[in-house]
């Protein structure tokens, strides 16, 4: 078993145990006998509900069986009462990692057309994120809303590229930006868990998780709970240092390719106080400077051949 497969097996077992622990015999319609040393269903009880042998399920949870069929995984998902995003995550973790020939690392870059698109959205804060939540590009209003204390051109320099999840847990300015920081942190970790299951062979992503686990007790505690959620839309509350309180709706748009790149946008209700605050922010010098032409992927890669690619 290679390193990626071993890590995946461990993640699969941890996820199964976390979901088994939250189910009670009453939830599953099982009569309970005797005292339980740990919360949740026993392995043999879950195996019975899923229609598999207790030995097979134990091997799966211990990472000793890497060839579970989709039918078996579906049966286990039903027995665990998993939600749709959790089912997707379970299938991702149960799927063997496909070994690929490692190519020389090359910094990721947003497509030039995508950057032009968000720059054309002058009244909408917009950000292009990579799969690891690193900022690949932002328009002026997106920069002013989320990270005015960072250099606007930082996303074009891989060594200085901001990362939304890292900022959320390790940057005091970003922590103060979110009125409901706990809610935002839980949402970020749940999204990162789903992505980590989908891209299990991504070394930089694993390094990001390791860094945040070591440097942030808040992140480590949330990560240990194995939350999983595909956060595509919702509402966020901000307390911006320049314009005060804002309540903005957000949408995450996944680009139709295999890069994992996403566009994050924020909008306000027309005529609301948040709309007025957003318009005020759009008039701030941060948000009115003429955007520079983005560095193309080829130039970005060529200028970074001798540097490590950091998320």
């Amino acid at each position: 078993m290679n390193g990626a497969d071993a890590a995946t097996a461990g993640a699969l077992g941890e996820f199964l145990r976390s979901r088994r622990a939250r189910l009670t015999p009453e939830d599953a319609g099982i009569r309970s006998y005797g005292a339980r040393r740990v919360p949740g269903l026993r392995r043999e009880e879950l195996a019975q509900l899923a229609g598999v042998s207790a030995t097979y399920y134990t091997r799966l949870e211990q990472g000793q069986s890497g060839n579970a069929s989709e039918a078996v995984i579906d049966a286990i998902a039903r027995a665990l009462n998993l939600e749709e995003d959790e089912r997707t995550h379970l299938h991702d973790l149960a799927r063997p990692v496909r070994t690929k020939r490692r190519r020389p690392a090359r910094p990721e870059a947003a497509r030039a057309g995508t950057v032009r698109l968000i720059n054309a959205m002058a009244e909408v804060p917009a950000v292009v994120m990579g799969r690891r939540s690193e900022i690949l590009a932002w328009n002026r209003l997106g920069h002013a809303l989320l990270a005015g204390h960072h250099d606007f051109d930082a996303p074009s320099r891989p060594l200085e590229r901001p990362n939304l999840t890292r900022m959320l847990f390790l940057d005091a300015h970003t922590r103060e930006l979110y009125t409901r920081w706990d809610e935002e942190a839980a949402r970020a970790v749940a999204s990162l868990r789903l992505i980590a299951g989908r891209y299990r062979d991504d070394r930089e992503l694993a390094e990001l998780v390791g860094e945040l686990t070591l440097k942030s007790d808040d992140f480590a505690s949330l990560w240990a709970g194995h939350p999983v959620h595909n956060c595509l839309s919702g509402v966020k509350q901000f307390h911006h240092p320049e314009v005060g309180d804002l309540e903005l709706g957000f949408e995450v748009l996944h680009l139709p390719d295999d890069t994992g790149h996403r566009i994050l946008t924020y909008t306000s209700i027309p005529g609301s106080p948040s709309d007025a605050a957003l318009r005020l922010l759009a008039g701030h010098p941060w948000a009115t400077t003429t955007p520079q032409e983005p560095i193309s992927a080829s130039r970005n890669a060529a200028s970074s051949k001798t540097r490590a690619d950091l998320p």
Side-chain angles (χ1 to χ4, degrees):
M1 182 180 292
N2 61 38
D5 286 331
T8 296
L12 173 61
E14 290 173 4
F15 181 68
L16 288 172
R17 286 189 291 272
S18 73
R19 294 312 185 261
R20 180 165 58 84
R22 74 181 185 184
L23 276 181
T24 66
E26 292 75 17
D27 292 333
I30 295 175
R31 181 176 296 180
S32 180
Y33 296 96
R36 293 174 182 261
R37 292 178 299 174
V38 294
L41 294 182
R42 298 185 175 102
R43 285 173 177 165
E44 57 269 20
E45 292 171 336
L46 182 61
Q48 182 180 5
L49 288 172
V52 299
S53 72
T55 300
Y56 180 84
Y57 177 78
T58 299
R59 288 176 56 83
L60 186 65
E61 196 173 278
Q62 292 177 342
Q64 299 174 9
S65 177
N67 297 308
S69 68
E70 290 195 7
V72 167
I73 296 302
D74 281 334
I76 293 173
R78 285 193 297 272
L80 289 170
N81 293 331
L82 298 187
E83 298 179 354
E84 182 178 352
D85 290 340
E86 294 174 319
R87 287 172 178 263
T88 299
H89 185 61
L90 179 59
H91 275 280
D92 286 339
L93 293 179
R95 187 178 301 118
V97 177
R98 289 181 295 179
T99 57
K100 297 182 293 186
R101 180 178 298 177
R102 183 171 293 276
R103 298 178 180 178
R106 185 174 65 180
E108 295 216 21
R111 292 200 300 261
T114 305
V115 178
R116 288 195 296 270
L117 173 64
I118 65 168
N119 282 337
M121 303 161 62
E123 298 181 358
V124 176
V127 171
V128 182
M129 298 186 297
R131 68 173 64 160
R132 311 173 194 101
S133 70
E134 71 273 32
I135 305 297
L136 301 178
W138 45 24
N139 63 11
R140 288 293 174 181
L141 194 50
H143 169 246
L145 174 66
L146 298 177
H149 58 294
H150 280 275
D151 182 7
F152 176 76
D153 294 323
S156 66
R157 300 188 292 269
L159 289 175
E160 302 173 30
R161 184 171 285 164
N163 181 290
L164 283 180
T165 306
R166 183 184 286 115
M167 290 163 58
L168 184 63
F169 286 95
L170 303 182
D171 182 350
H173 293 284
T174 302
R175 189 168 188 135
E176 293 174 357
L177 178 65
Y178 293 96
T179 306
R180 300 179 180 176
W181 184 88
D182 291 345
E183 181 180 298
E184 182 66 18
R187 181 160 39 205
V189 173
S191 177
L192 190 63
R193 262 289 182 190
L194 192 65
I195 293 169
R198 187 172 301 151
Y199 299 103
R200 304 191 306 280
D201 58 345
D202 189 316
R203 177 179 55 82
E204 289 83 2
L205 181 57
E207 290 173 352
L208 173 65
V209 171
E211 175 194 357
L212 294 176
T213 300
L214 289 174
K215 294 182 179 180
S216 171
D217 291 339
D218 290 319
F219 179 89
S221 177
L222 288 168
W223 189 257
H226 292 264
V228 176
H229 185 57
N230 193 14
C231 306
L232 298 177
S233 63
V235 177
K236 298 186 183 185
Q237 284 77 28
F238 300 90
H239 182 74
H240 195 275
E242 298 295 327
V243 298
D245 293 335
L246 302 97
E247 182 175 276
L248 303 176
F250 73 90
E251 298 286 338
V252 178
L253 311 175
H254 288 257
L255 298 183
D257 53 26
D258 62 353
T259 61
H261 294 182
R262 296 159 286 165
I263 299 177
L264 171 61
T265 64
Y266 294 93
T267 57
S268 57
I269 297 176
S272 67
S274 295
D275 188 46
L278 196 59
R279 291 178 183 275
L280 181 62
L281 184 62
H284 192 282
W286 285 339
T288 55
T289 306
T290 303
Q292 297 179 1
E293 182 68 18
I295 298 176
S296 68
S298 59
R299 287 178 56 200
N300 200 351
S303 65
S304 308
K305 286 183 179 179
T306 61
R307 297 182 296 180
D309 178 19
L310 298 181

